């Protein structure tokens, strides 16, 4: 194989390996806002907490609004208060299990009676 083709294949392989091992590498907040506009928290659909370890070098709160993400400082008092109030808007690591489905079925049966 020619040198340039082999080199290109090598770098593409390295890139794919990197993406497979570190899927969140390109999803980190690189800048955060120290101020937050009034309506942002009201319209936030969910949030994630980015820790300053591993691939991401910046601690941040990622707010998702209409498919877009906003990175804000976790030290903003309004944001801390909002996160406490909206804990249910964090993504869940585990899907809801059998126990919750069973509770819904039981609740439906009770309503029918």
């Amino acid at each position: 194989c020619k040198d340039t083709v082999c080199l290109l294949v090598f770098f593409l392989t390295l890139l794919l390996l990197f993406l497979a091992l570190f899927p969140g590498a390109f999803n980190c907040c690189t800048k955060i806002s120290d101020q937050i506009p009034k309506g942002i928290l009201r319209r936030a659909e969910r949030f994630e907490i980015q820790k300053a370890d591993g691939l991401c070098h910046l601690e941040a709160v990622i707010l998702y609004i209409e498919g877009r993400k906003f990175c804000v400082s976790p030290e903003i008092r309004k944001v801390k208060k909002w996160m406490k109030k909206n804990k249910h808007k964090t993504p869940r690591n585990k899907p809801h299990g059998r126990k919750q489905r069973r509770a819904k079925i039981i609740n439906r049966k009770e309503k029918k009676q």
Side-chain angles (χ1 to χ4, degrees):
C1 82
K2 295 190 178 196
D3 291 337
T4 53
V5 174
C6 287
L7 196 60
L8 184 62
V9 169
F10 174 73
F11 281 117
L12 282 174
T13 306
L14 277 179
L15 178 65
L16 290 173
L17 181 64
F18 177 78
L19 290 173
L21 293 174
F22 306 107
F26 299 106
N27 203 17
C28 293
C29 290
T30 55
K31 294 179 184 177
I32 58 170
S33 176
D34 290 325
Q35 298 176 350
I36 186 162
K38 288 181 181 178
I40 294 288
L41 289 176
R42 246 181 307 164
R43 294 186 354 233
E45 297 153 3
R46 64 185 177 94
F47 72 95
E48 291 177 10
I49 298 170
Q50 173 179 298
K51 300 198 183 213
D53 58 355
L55 296 170
C56 302
H57 302 289
L58 199 60
E59 205 165 288
V61 175
I62 306 171
L63 302 171
Y64 291 91
I65 302 166
E66 298 169 5
R68 293 176 23 201
K69 74 178 194 177
F70 293 89
C71 302
V72 296
S73 170
E75 300 302 317
I76 301 173
R77 191 180 303 156
K78 276 195 279 186
V79 173
K80 284 181 181 179
K81 189 176 176 182
W82 182 85
M83 286 189 327
K84 262 187 194 175
K85 188 177 173 185
N86 293 282
K87 286 180 185 173
H88 64 280
K89 290 189 177 184
T90 57
R92 301 205 183 275
N93 292 336
K94 296 179 182 176
H96 294 294
R98 182 177 184 165
K99 193 174 185 179
Q100 188 174 22
R101 286 194 302 269
R102 182 178 289 153
K104 283 183 180 179
I105 292 168
I106 291 170
N107 286 342
R108 284 185 199 147
K109 286 181 181 177
E110 288 174 356
K111 285 181 181 178
K112 286 180 183 179
Q113 292 175 357

